[in-house]
Amino acid sequence: EKDYKISAGMAARRLEYTVLKNMNLFTTTWNVGNLSPFSSNVYPDLIKWLFSPNPEADPFDNTNYNNDLLGETELEIQLQNSDLLVFALQEIVNLENPLNLVMSTYISSNFQGWNDVLLKAINDYHSTFGGKRYTLLTSTNLVGMAMYAFVPIDNDNISTSTSNTSATTTNRRTEITYSSFSDIRILNYGCGFMSIGGNKGAVGISMTIYDSTLAFIGSHFASGDKDSDTVKRNKDYATIAAYGMFHGNAHSTSGTDT
């Protein structure tokens, strides 16, 4: 009872010793259906998906550039101001090929390829309009599932647009950057083939920023619209929630450049 009173008292006065900070977060998920990250169509499709309000328009055309925003859609505004971007992908390899359950070379190549093309799309577009530059915080994958977390790089030189035709560059540190994150951990939990295969299951990333912990989980469960399929998906979700554990220190090696 004494401990409860102390905890309750601290909670009631938390605003007296807590500094609140705003954080802008962007998350998205995409089943890429075995699309190769090395395909010539992937990069332009990513740019249009993430940044263009009109799929037929050129997202790099700044004719209608206004109010120092990267674009006119809510999605674009979120991306411009994000302190953390998390992408969850599914089926980055052909899951119908049983060799992909036991061989890692092809999977590793696609896993790295998606990292590269995502980061290129984000930074190329932002650099066009003087936005933040991003680097990989950490990533993880399990057979066809992958998750990537990108954050602003440390000590960035940020170009701030002042008109449609000119820009000024200031050397300033954005408030939340790579070094703001700590205790980064990953989760990989397979519940596919023989209830352990990584063709189905979940991947995740957790991290601490200041004194708060964030966790993200991307899942890929068995398809089907039968009652038994729904039961299987719900069972797999419950298993991951009960037994999935974040582990390791997965901080990437450098936050100073892309």
Side-chain angles (χ1 to χ4, degrees):
E1 182 178 356
K2 181 179 179 181
D3 290 341
Y4 170 78
K5 289 181 178 180
I6 293 175
S7 297
M10 292 182 65
R13 302 180 62 179
R14 63 185 182 278
L15 293 181
E16 297 180 22
Y17 57 84
T18 301
V19 177
L20 301 179
K21 292 181 177 289
N22 292 325
M23 180 179 182
N24 295 313
L25 170 66
F26 175 83
T27 62
T28 188
T29 182
W30 184 16
N31 186 322
V32 301
N34 191 29
L35 178 65
S36 170
F38 308 105
S39 167
S40 60
N41 294 327
V42 168
Y43 177 79
D45 285 348
L46 274 175
I47 289 290
K48 290 180 178 180
W49 171 48
L50 293 172
F51 302 112
S52 179
N54 178 359
E56 302 302 322
D58 179 3
F60 287 96
D61 180 3
N62 65 353
T63 303
N64 297 317
Y65 184 73
N66 190 26
N67 296 327
D68 290 331
L69 299 179
L70 291 184
E72 298 175 352
T73 67
E74 181 180 355
L75 180 61
E76 293 168 69
I77 296 171
Q78 290 174 346
L79 276 163
Q80 180 205 20
N81 295 303
S82 292
D83 300 303
L84 172 64
L85 299 94
V86 180
F87 293 82
L89 304 183
Q90 301 85 41
E91 297 190 22
I92 65 170
V93 296
N94 183 4
L95 297 180
E96 295 181 358
N97 184 349
L99 291 178
N100 285 334
L101 294 177
V102 295
M103 297 180 65
S104 62
T105 302
Y106 172 45
I107 295 172
S108 297
S109 175
N110 280 16
F111 176 56
Q112 183 61 47
W114 278 108
N115 171 87
D116 295 343
V117 74
L118 284 168
L119 191 57
K120 176 176 173 57
I122 294 167
N123 281 334
D124 281 359
Y125 190 77
H126 283 193
S127 64
T128 300
F129 296 103
K132 298 176 181 178
R133 291 192 302 158
Y134 291 83
T135 189
L136 179 70
L137 180 68
T138 195
S139 59
T140 186
N141 83 295
L142 180 64
V143 187
M145 293 171 285
M147 181 172 285
Y148 307 87
F150 301 109
V151 297
I153 71 173
D154 287 338
N155 301 316
D156 196 10
N157 291 327
I158 300 174
S159 289
T160 304
S161 293
T162 56
S163 69
N164 288 352
T165 58
S166 64
T168 58
T169 301
T170 56
N171 189 358
R172 63 185 175 87
R173 182 189 178 96
T174 53
E175 184 174 354
I176 297 177
T177 64
Y178 178 92
S179 59
S180 303
F181 297 86
S182 62
D183 194 26
I184 301 164
R185 301 173 182 270
I186 60 173
L187 175 149
N188 296 313
Y189 198 99
C191 54
F193 180 68
M194 298 184 67
S195 297
I196 59 173
N199 56 317
K200 305 294 180 183
V203 293
I205 295 172
S206 72
M207 64 200 71
T208 297
I209 177 167
Y210 303 123
D211 292 319
S212 298
T213 299
L214 302 175
F216 305 88
I217 295 179
S219 61
H220 190 208
F221 296 140
S223 60
D225 54 7
K226 298 178 182 179
D227 289 344
S228 59
D229 297 323
T230 302
V231 170
K232 176 65 165 62
R233 287 192 290 268
N234 289 339
K235 179 181 177 182
D236 288 343
Y237 167 80
T239 299
I240 293 168
Y243 299 106
M245 296 183 64
F246 290 93
H247 58 86
N249 187 339
H251 214 292
S252 63
T253 56
S254 174
T256 57
D257 209 342
T258 54

mmCIF file of all heavy atoms in Angstrom, residues 155-203:
data_model
loop_
_atom_site.group_PDB
_atom_site.id
_atom_site.type_symbol
_atom_site.label_atom_id
_atom_site.label_comp_id
_atom_site.label_asym_id
_atom_site.label_seq_id
_atom_site.Cartn_x
_atom_site.Cartn_y
_atom_site.Cartn_z
ATOM 1 N N ASN A 155 23.747 16.256 -37.021
ATOM 2 C CA ASN A 155 24.508 17.428 -37.484
ATOM 3 C C ASN A 155 24.364 17.655 -38.982
ATOM 4 O O ASN A 155 25.352 17.800 -39.709
ATOM 5 C CB ASN A 155 25.989 17.258 -37.131
ATOM 6 C CG ASN A 155 26.190 17.107 -35.641
ATOM 7 O OD1 ASN A 155 25.599 17.834 -34.856
ATOM 8 N ND2 ASN A 155 27.019 16.151 -35.239
ATOM 9 N N ASP A 156 23.140 17.708 -39.435
ATOM 10 C CA ASP A 156 22.883 17.845 -40.862
ATOM 11 C C ASP A 156 22.964 19.299 -41.301
ATOM 12 O O ASP A 156 22.636 20.216 -40.550
ATOM 13 C CB ASP A 156 21.489 17.297 -41.181
ATOM 14 C CG ASP A 156 21.288 17.038 -42.665
ATOM 15 O OD1 ASP A 156 22.283 17.112 -43.403
ATOM 16 O OD2 ASP A 156 20.155 16.769 -43.070
ATOM 17 N N ASN A 157 23.391 19.506 -42.535
ATOM 18 C CA ASN A 157 23.271 20.801 -43.183
ATOM 19 C C ASN A 157 21.945 20.829 -43.925
ATOM 20 O O ASN A 157 21.785 20.127 -44.921
ATOM 21 C CB ASN A 157 24.414 21.040 -44.175
ATOM 22 C CG ASN A 157 25.729 21.216 -43.466
ATOM 23 O OD1 ASN A 157 25.773 21.753 -42.363
ATOM 24 N ND2 ASN A 157 26.800 20.750 -44.076
ATOM 25 N N ILE A 158 21.008 21.610 -43.450
ATOM 26 C CA ILE A 158 19.658 21.590 -43.990
ATOM 27 C C ILE A 158 19.428 22.810 -44.861
ATOM 28 O O ILE A 158 19.602 23.952 -44.432
ATOM 29 C CB ILE A 158 18.615 21.556 -42.855
ATOM 30 C CG1 ILE A 158 18.816 20.303 -42.003
ATOM 31 C CG2 ILE A 158 17.206 21.606 -43.422
ATOM 32 C CD1 ILE A 158 17.931 20.254 -40.796
ATOM 33 N N SER A 159 19.028 22.576 -46.115
ATOM 34 C CA SER A 159 18.679 23.674 -47.013
ATOM 35 C C SER A 159 17.237 24.078 -46.773
ATOM 36 O O SER A 159 16.336 23.259 -46.894
ATOM 37 C CB SER A 159 18.852 23.247 -48.474
ATOM 38 O OG SER A 159 20.200 23.115 -48.795
ATOM 39 N N THR A 160 17.029 25.303 -46.422
ATOM 40 C CA THR A 160 15.691 25.802 -46.159
ATOM 41 C C THR A 160 15.235 26.653 -47.324
ATOM 42 O O THR A 160 15.825 27.694 -47.610
ATOM 43 C CB THR A 160 15.662 26.644 -44.862
ATOM 44 O OG1 THR A 160 16.166 25.856 -43.799
ATOM 45 C CG2 THR A 160 14.235 27.098 -44.555
ATOM 46 N N SER A 161 14.195 26.222 -48.031
ATOM 47 C CA SER A 161 13.730 26.940 -49.206
ATOM 48 C C SER A 161 13.076 28.255 -48.804
ATOM 49 O O SER A 161 12.261 28.305 -47.892
ATOM 50 C CB SER A 161 12.729 26.087 -49.974
ATOM 51 O OG SER A 161 13.366 24.963 -50.510
ATOM 52 N N THR A 162 13.447 29.324 -49.499
ATOM 53 C CA THR A 162 12.866 30.631 -49.234
ATOM 54 C C THR A 162 11.976 31.081 -50.377
ATOM 55 O O THR A 162 11.240 32.044 -50.240
ATOM 56 C CB THR A 162 13.986 31.672 -49.028
ATOM 57 O OG1 THR A 162 14.845 31.662 -50.174
ATOM 58 C CG2 THR A 162 14.791 31.335 -47.785
ATOM 59 N N SER A 163 12.066 30.429 -51.520
ATOM 60 C CA SER A 163 11.192 30.727 -52.652
ATOM 61 C C SER A 163 11.235 29.541 -53.589
ATOM 62 O O SER A 163 11.911 28.547 -53.314
ATOM 63 C CB SER A 163 11.652 31.993 -53.386
ATOM 64 O OG SER A 163 12.875 31.750 -54.044
ATOM 65 N N ASN A 164 10.545 29.643 -54.698
ATOM 66 C CA ASN A 164 10.557 28.545 -55.654
ATOM 67 C C ASN A 164 11.911 28.393 -56.335
ATOM 68 O O ASN A 164 12.223 27.347 -56.884
ATOM 69 C CB ASN A 164 9.488 28.768 -56.732
ATOM 70 C CG ASN A 164 8.092 28.558 -56.178
ATOM 71 O OD1 ASN A 164 7.939 28.106 -55.053
ATOM 72 N ND2 ASN A 164 7.084 28.877 -56.968
ATOM 73 N N THR A 165 12.724 29.418 -56.310
ATOM 74 C CA THR A 165 13.957 29.384 -57.100
ATOM 75 C C THR A 165 15.227 29.531 -56.282
ATOM 76 O O THR A 165 16.313 29.428 -56.820
ATOM 77 C CB THR A 165 13.935 30.510 -58.151
ATOM 78 O OG1 THR A 165 13.784 31.767 -57.493
ATOM 79 C CG2 THR A 165 12.773 30.313 -59.116
ATOM 80 N N SER A 166 15.128 29.793 -54.994
ATOM 81 C CA SER A 166 16.336 29.989 -54.206
ATOM 82 C C SER A 166 16.217 29.271 -52.873
ATOM 83 O O SER A 166 15.144 28.934 -52.413
ATOM 84 C CB SER A 166 16.574 31.488 -53.962
ATOM 85 O OG SER A 166 15.529 32.042 -53.184
ATOM 86 N N ALA A 167 17.375 29.040 -52.245
ATOM 87 C CA ALA A 167 17.385 28.369 -50.948
ATOM 88 C C ALA A 167 18.600 28.827 -50.170
ATOM 89 O O ALA A 167 19.623 29.197 -50.745
ATOM 90 C CB ALA A 167 17.417 26.851 -51.133
ATOM 91 N N THR A 168 18.498 28.831 -48.864
ATOM 92 C CA THR A 168 19.621 29.153 -48.002
ATOM 93 C C THR A 168 19.943 27.929 -47.170
ATOM 94 O O THR A 168 19.054 27.159 -46.813
ATOM 95 C CB THR A 168 19.283 30.330 -47.067
ATOM 96 O OG1 THR A 168 18.125 29.986 -46.291
ATOM 97 C CG2 THR A 168 18.999 31.584 -47.878
ATOM 98 N N THR A 169 21.212 27.733 -46.869
ATOM 99 C CA THR A 169 21.637 26.559 -46.115
ATOM 100 C C THR A 169 22.141 26.987 -44.745
ATOM 101 O O THR A 169 22.960 27.884 -44.623
ATOM 102 C CB THR A 169 22.757 25.808 -46.852
ATOM 103 O OG1 THR A 169 22.273 25.408 -48.133
ATOM 104 C CG2 THR A 169 23.190 24.584 -46.071
ATOM 105 N N THR A 170 21.634 26.319 -43.719
ATOM 106 C CA THR A 170 22.062 26.604 -42.356
ATOM 107 C C THR A 170 22.557 25.326 -41.726
ATOM 108 O O THR A 170 21.971 24.257 -41.916
ATOM 109 C CB THR A 170 20.900 27.176 -41.516
ATOM 110 O OG1 THR A 170 19.809 26.251 -41.548
ATOM 111 C CG2 THR A 170 20.450 28.517 -42.053
ATOM 112 N N ASN A 171 23.636 25.419 -40.976
ATOM 113 C CA ASN A 171 24.177 24.269 -40.283
ATOM 114 C C ASN A 171 23.519 24.209 -38.912
ATOM 115 O O ASN A 171 23.900 24.918 -37.998
ATOM 116 C CB ASN A 171 25.694 24.415 -40.150
ATOM 117 C CG ASN A 171 26.326 23.146 -39.620
ATOM 118 O OD1 ASN A 171 25.630 22.184 -39.327
ATOM 119 N ND2 ASN A 171 27.644 23.165 -39.506
ATOM 120 N N ARG A 172 22.528 23.353 -38.792
ATOM 121 C CA ARG A 172 21.811 23.273 -37.528
ATOM 122 C C ARG A 172 21.444 21.821 -37.257
ATOM 123 O O ARG A 172 21.327 21.009 -38.167
ATOM 124 C CB ARG A 172 20.541 24.124 -37.560
ATOM 125 C CG ARG A 172 19.502 23.709 -38.579
ATOM 126 C CD ARG A 172 18.346 24.695 -38.601
ATOM 127 N NE ARG A 172 17.377 24.404 -39.627
ATOM 128 C CZ ARG A 172 16.348 23.584 -39.495
ATOM 129 N NH1 ARG A 172 16.193 22.937 -38.357
ATOM 130 N NH2 ARG A 172 15.497 23.389 -40.478
ATOM 131 N N ARG A 173 21.261 21.498 -36.038
ATOM 132 C CA ARG A 173 20.921 20.146 -35.627
ATOM 133 C C ARG A 173 19.420 20.049 -35.415
ATOM 134 O O ARG A 173 18.844 20.828 -34.663
ATOM 135 C CB ARG A 173 21.649 19.793 -34.332
ATOM 136 C CG ARG A 173 21.394 18.371 -33.834
ATOM 137 C CD ARG A 173 21.984 18.225 -32.447
ATOM 138 N NE ARG A 173 21.729 16.911 -31.912
ATOM 139 C CZ ARG A 173 22.586 15.896 -31.961
ATOM 140 N NH1 ARG A 173 23.735 16.081 -32.567
ATOM 141 N NH2 ARG A 173 22.300 14.732 -31.451
ATOM 142 N N THR A 174 18.766 19.122 -36.125
ATOM 143 C CA THR A 174 17.356 18.912 -35.873
ATOM 144 C C THR A 174 17.182 18.331 -34.479
ATOM 145 O O THR A 174 18.047 17.632 -33.974
ATOM 146 C CB THR A 174 16.758 17.961 -36.914
ATOM 147 O OG1 THR A 174 17.540 16.771 -36.941
ATOM 148 C CG2 THR A 174 16.735 18.605 -38.295
ATOM 149 N N GLU A 175 16.061 18.596 -33.859
ATOM 150 C CA GLU A 175 15.888 18.259 -32.447
ATOM 151 C C GLU A 175 15.995 16.759 -32.197
ATOM 152 O O GLU A 175 16.605 16.310 -31.232
ATOM 153 C CB GLU A 175 14.543 18.788 -31.949
ATOM 154 C CG GLU A 175 14.342 18.568 -30.457
ATOM 155 C CD GLU A 175 13.083 19.221 -29.956
ATOM 156 O OE1 GLU A 175 12.428 19.939 -30.724
ATOM 157 O OE2 GLU A 175 12.746 19.005 -28.776
ATOM 158 N N ILE A 176 15.359 15.960 -33.026
ATOM 159 C CA ILE A 176 15.409 14.505 -32.886
ATOM 160 C C ILE A 176 16.197 13.940 -34.060
ATOM 161 O O ILE A 176 15.819 14.116 -35.211
ATOM 162 C CB ILE A 176 13.996 13.905 -32.849
ATOM 163 C CG1 ILE A 176 13.229 14.419 -31.617
ATOM 164 C CG2 ILE A 176 14.066 12.386 -32.824
ATOM 165 C CD1 ILE A 176 11.803 13.930 -31.545
ATOM 166 N N THR A 177 17.322 13.271 -33.749
ATOM 167 C CA THR A 177 18.175 12.703 -34.792
ATOM 168 C C THR A 177 18.616 11.301 -34.375
ATOM 169 O O THR A 177 18.186 10.769 -33.340
ATOM 170 C CB THR A 177 19.423 13.576 -35.036
ATOM 171 O OG1 THR A 177 20.219 13.587 -33.831
ATOM 172 C CG2 THR A 177 19.030 14.996 -35.408
ATOM 173 N N TYR A 178 19.490 10.737 -35.161
ATOM 174 C CA TYR A 178 19.989 9.376 -34.939
ATOM 175 C C TYR A 178 20.439 9.150 -33.498
ATOM 176 O O TYR A 178 20.090 8.150 -32.868
ATOM 177 C CB TYR A 178 21.138 9.132 -35.908
ATOM 178 C CG TYR A 178 21.818 7.790 -35.806
ATOM 179 C CD1 TYR A 178 21.404 6.717 -36.588
ATOM 180 C CD2 TYR A 178 22.902 7.600 -34.949
ATOM 181 C CE1 TYR A 178 22.045 5.493 -36.514
ATOM 182 C CE2 TYR A 178 23.544 6.381 -34.861
ATOM 183 C CZ TYR A 178 23.119 5.332 -35.647
ATOM 184 O OH TYR A 178 23.748 4.118 -35.564
ATOM 185 N N SER A 179 21.216 10.063 -32.955
ATOM 186 C CA SER A 179 21.779 9.862 -31.618
ATOM 187 C C SER A 179 20.755 10.045 -30.500
ATOM 188 O O SER A 179 21.076 9.820 -29.332
ATOM 189 C CB SER A 179 22.961 10.813 -31.402
ATOM 190 O OG SER A 179 22.561 12.155 -31.537
ATOM 191 N N SER A 180 19.531 10.443 -30.834
ATOM 192 C CA SER A 180 18.486 10.582 -29.822
ATOM 193 C C SER A 180 17.923 9.224 -29.400
ATOM 194 O O SER A 180 17.251 9.120 -28.368
ATOM 195 C CB SER A 180 17.331 11.449 -30.347
ATOM 196 O OG SER A 180 17.781 12.719 -30.761
ATOM 197 N N PHE A 181 18.205 8.184 -30.181
ATOM 198 C CA PHE A 181 17.611 6.864 -29.948
ATOM 199 C C PHE A 181 18.615 5.937 -29.272
ATOM 200 O O PHE A 181 19.811 5.995 -29.522
ATOM 201 C CB PHE A 181 17.157 6.248 -31.274
ATOM 202 C CG PHE A 181 16.070 7.023 -31.963
ATOM 203 C CD1 PHE A 181 16.394 8.082 -32.805
ATOM 204 C CD2 PHE A 181 14.734 6.711 -31.772
ATOM 205 C CE1 PHE A 181 15.402 8.806 -33.453
ATOM 206 C CE2 PHE A 181 13.734 7.427 -32.408
ATOM 207 C CZ PHE A 181 14.069 8.477 -33.240
ATOM 208 N N SER A 182 18.105 5.072 -28.425
ATOM 209 C CA SER A 182 18.959 4.116 -27.721
ATOM 210 C C SER A 182 18.184 2.823 -27.462
ATOM 211 O O SER A 182 16.986 2.737 -27.740
ATOM 212 C CB SER A 182 19.448 4.712 -26.397
ATOM 213 O OG SER A 182 18.347 4.981 -25.538
ATOM 214 N N ASP A 183 18.884 1.834 -26.904
ATOM 215 C CA ASP A 183 18.280 0.540 -26.535
ATOM 216 C C ASP A 183 17.419 -0.005 -27.673
ATOM 217 O O ASP A 183 16.237 -0.326 -27.490
ATOM 218 C CB ASP A 183 17.468 0.678 -25.250
ATOM 219 C CG ASP A 183 17.108 -0.681 -24.654
ATOM 220 O OD1 ASP A 183 17.848 -1.643 -24.917
ATOM 221 O OD2 ASP A 183 16.075 -0.780 -23.963
ATOM 222 N N ILE A 184 17.994 -0.119 -28.845
ATOM 223 C CA ILE A 184 17.264 -0.553 -30.031
ATOM 224 C C ILE A 184 17.308 -2.072 -30.119
ATOM 225 O O ILE A 184 18.376 -2.680 -30.079
ATOM 226 C CB ILE A 184 17.867 0.086 -31.292
ATOM 227 C CG1 ILE A 184 17.796 1.604 -31.168
ATOM 228 C CG2 ILE A 184 17.144 -0.383 -32.547
ATOM 229 C CD1 ILE A 184 18.681 2.327 -32.125
ATOM 230 N N ARG A 185 16.137 -2.669 -30.246
ATOM 231 C CA ARG A 185 16.029 -4.116 -30.259
ATOM 232 C C ARG A 185 15.151 -4.579 -31.416
ATOM 233 O O ARG A 185 14.377 -3.787 -31.959
ATOM 234 C CB ARG A 185 15.454 -4.623 -28.925
ATOM 235 C CG ARG A 185 16.314 -4.232 -27.721
ATOM 236 C CD ARG A 185 15.657 -4.585 -26.405
ATOM 237 N NE ARG A 185 16.468 -4.167 -25.278
ATOM 238 C CZ ARG A 185 17.397 -4.925 -24.691
ATOM 239 N NH1 ARG A 185 17.610 -6.163 -25.159
ATOM 240 N NH2 ARG A 185 18.109 -4.486 -23.690
ATOM 241 N N ILE A 186 15.285 -5.855 -31.772
ATOM 242 C CA ILE A 186 14.501 -6.398 -32.875
ATOM 243 C C ILE A 186 13.744 -7.641 -32.424
ATOM 244 O O ILE A 186 14.094 -8.287 -31.428
ATOM 245 C CB ILE A 186 15.385 -6.737 -34.090
ATOM 246 C CG1 ILE A 186 16.440 -7.780 -33.712
ATOM 247 C CG2 ILE A 186 16.027 -5.482 -34.643
ATOM 248 C CD1 ILE A 186 17.254 -8.288 -34.894
ATOM 249 N N LEU A 187 12.704 -7.960 -33.178
ATOM 250 C CA LEU A 187 11.898 -9.146 -32.939
ATOM 251 C C LEU A 187 11.734 -9.896 -34.255
ATOM 252 O O LEU A 187 11.426 -9.300 -35.281
ATOM 253 C CB LEU A 187 10.527 -8.760 -32.381
ATOM 254 C CG LEU A 187 9.483 -9.864 -32.177
ATOM 255 C CD1 LEU A 187 8.579 -9.517 -30.996
ATOM 256 C CD2 LEU A 187 8.620 -10.087 -33.419
ATOM 257 N N ASN A 188 11.943 -11.205 -34.233
ATOM 258 C CA ASN A 188 11.671 -12.085 -35.371
ATOM 259 C C ASN A 188 10.957 -13.319 -34.834
ATOM 260 O O ASN A 188 11.519 -14.032 -33.990
ATOM 261 C CB ASN A 188 12.959 -12.515 -36.082
ATOM 262 C CG ASN A 188 13.691 -11.355 -36.712
ATOM 263 O OD1 ASN A 188 13.099 -10.535 -37.390
ATOM 264 N ND2 ASN A 188 14.995 -11.276 -36.487
ATOM 265 N N TYR A 189 9.744 -13.555 -35.298
ATOM 266 C CA TYR A 189 8.979 -14.695 -34.770
ATOM 267 C C TYR A 189 8.265 -15.392 -35.923
ATOM 268 O O TYR A 189 7.382 -14.817 -36.558
ATOM 269 C CB TYR A 189 7.958 -14.236 -33.730
ATOM 270 C CG TYR A 189 7.445 -15.352 -32.855
ATOM 271 C CD1 TYR A 189 7.959 -15.550 -31.589
ATOM 272 C CD2 TYR A 189 6.470 -16.236 -33.317
ATOM 273 C CE1 TYR A 189 7.512 -16.588 -30.778
ATOM 274 C CE2 TYR A 189 6.019 -17.281 -32.525
ATOM 275 C CZ TYR A 189 6.541 -17.449 -31.255
ATOM 276 O OH TYR A 189 6.100 -18.487 -30.456
ATOM 277 N N GLY A 190 8.668 -16.623 -36.198
ATOM 278 C CA GLY A 190 8.067 -17.388 -37.277
ATOM 279 C C GLY A 190 6.965 -18.298 -36.781
ATOM 280 O O GLY A 190 7.105 -18.961 -35.747
ATOM 281 N N CYS A 191 5.872 -18.336 -37.509
ATOM 282 C CA CYS A 191 4.778 -19.247 -37.156
ATOM 283 C C CYS A 191 4.143 -19.817 -38.429
ATOM 284 O O CYS A 191 2.944 -20.058 -38.488
ATOM 285 C CB CYS A 191 3.734 -18.558 -36.283
ATOM 286 S SG CYS A 191 3.056 -17.037 -36.959
ATOM 287 N N GLY A 192 4.982 -19.995 -39.456
ATOM 288 C CA GLY A 192 4.497 -20.496 -40.731
ATOM 289 C C GLY A 192 4.641 -21.991 -40.865
ATOM 290 O O GLY A 192 3.995 -22.753 -40.148
ATOM 291 N N PHE A 193 5.520 -22.433 -41.782
ATOM 292 C CA PHE A 193 5.706 -23.859 -42.045
ATOM 293 C C PHE A 193 6.049 -24.603 -40.765
ATOM 294 O O PHE A 193 6.966 -24.230 -40.037
ATOM 295 C CB PHE A 193 6.818 -24.038 -43.079
ATOM 296 C CG PHE A 193 7.107 -25.459 -43.444
ATOM 297 C CD1 PHE A 193 6.185 -26.211 -44.143
ATOM 298 C CD2 PHE A 193 8.317 -26.040 -43.082
ATOM 299 C CE1 PHE A 193 6.457 -27.531 -44.477
ATOM 300 C CE2 PHE A 193 8.597 -27.347 -43.413
ATOM 301 C CZ PHE A 193 7.663 -28.107 -44.111
ATOM 302 N N MET A 194 5.260 -25.657 -40.451
ATOM 303 C CA MET A 194 5.431 -26.459 -39.233
ATOM 304 C C MET A 194 5.357 -25.598 -37.974
ATOM 305 O O MET A 194 5.971 -25.905 -36.945
ATOM 306 C CB MET A 194 6.747 -27.246 -39.284
ATOM 307 C CG MET A 194 6.827 -28.252 -40.414
ATOM 308 S SD MET A 194 8.332 -29.241 -40.383
ATOM 309 C CE MET A 194 8.076 -30.197 -38.886
ATOM 310 N N SER A 195 4.637 -24.471 -38.080
ATOM 311 C CA SER A 195 4.386 -23.543 -36.961
ATOM 312 C C SER A 195 5.615 -22.774 -36.515
ATOM 313 O O SER A 195 5.566 -22.038 -35.522
ATOM 314 C CB SER A 195 3.792 -24.295 -35.749
ATOM 315 O OG SER A 195 2.544 -24.851 -36.083
ATOM 316 N N ILE A 196 6.726 -22.918 -37.241
ATOM 317 C CA ILE A 196 7.935 -22.178 -36.872
ATOM 318 C C ILE A 196 8.571 -21.480 -38.066
ATOM 319 O O ILE A 196 9.466 -20.650 -37.897
ATOM 320 C CB ILE A 196 8.988 -23.092 -36.202
ATOM 321 C CG1 ILE A 196 9.380 -24.227 -37.154
ATOM 322 C CG2 ILE A 196 8.470 -23.642 -34.878
ATOM 323 C CD1 ILE A 196 10.538 -25.075 -36.639
ATOM 324 N N GLY A 197 8.140 -21.821 -39.273
ATOM 325 C CA GLY A 197 8.758 -21.263 -40.470
ATOM 326 C C GLY A 197 8.556 -19.761 -40.574
ATOM 327 O O GLY A 197 7.528 -19.216 -40.176
ATOM 328 N N GLY A 198 9.565 -19.104 -41.155
ATOM 329 C CA GLY A 198 9.519 -17.654 -41.256
ATOM 330 C C GLY A 198 8.752 -17.131 -42.444
ATOM 331 O O GLY A 198 8.755 -15.919 -42.696
ATOM 332 N N ASN A 199 8.075 -18.012 -43.190
ATOM 333 C CA ASN A 199 7.240 -17.526 -44.290
ATOM 334 C C ASN A 199 6.007 -16.795 -43.774
ATOM 335 O O ASN A 199 5.405 -15.989 -44.474
ATOM 336 C CB ASN A 199 6.837 -18.672 -45.213
ATOM 337 C CG ASN A 199 6.136 -19.802 -44.487
ATOM 338 O OD1 ASN A 199 6.558 -20.198 -43.408
ATOM 339 N ND2 ASN A 199 5.088 -20.338 -45.096
ATOM 340 N N LYS A 200 5.613 -17.065 -42.548
ATOM 341 C CA LYS A 200 4.542 -16.330 -41.865
ATOM 342 C C LYS A 200 5.020 -15.997 -40.465
ATOM 343 O O LYS A 200 5.859 -16.690 -39.890
ATOM 344 C CB LYS A 200 3.243 -17.156 -41.780
ATOM 345 C CG LYS A 200 2.722 -17.656 -43.117
ATOM 346 C CD LYS A 200 2.280 -16.525 -44.025
ATOM 347 C CE LYS A 200 1.768 -17.081 -45.357
ATOM 348 N NZ LYS A 200 1.396 -15.985 -46.291
ATOM 349 N N GLY A 201 4.476 -14.915 -39.902
ATOM 350 C CA GLY A 201 4.883 -14.526 -38.555
ATOM 351 C C GLY A 201 4.978 -13.025 -38.419
ATOM 352 O O GLY A 201 4.138 -12.302 -38.957
ATOM 353 N N ALA A 202 6.011 -12.565 -37.723
ATOM 354 C CA ALA A 202 6.129 -11.131 -37.464
ATOM 355 C C ALA A 202 7.579 -10.722 -37.295
ATOM 356 O O ALA A 202 8.430 -11.516 -36.881
ATOM 357 C CB ALA A 202 5.337 -10.745 -36.217
ATOM 358 N N VAL A 203 7.852 -9.475 -37.653
ATOM 359 C CA VAL A 203 9.127 -8.828 -37.348
ATOM 360 C C VAL A 203 8.809 -7.532 -36.600
ATOM 361 O O VAL A 203 7.716 -6.981 -36.728
ATOM 362 C CB VAL A 203 9.945 -8.521 -38.621
ATOM 363 C CG1 VAL A 203 10.389 -9.802 -39.294
ATOM 364 C CG2 VAL A 203 9.135 -7.669 -39.601
#
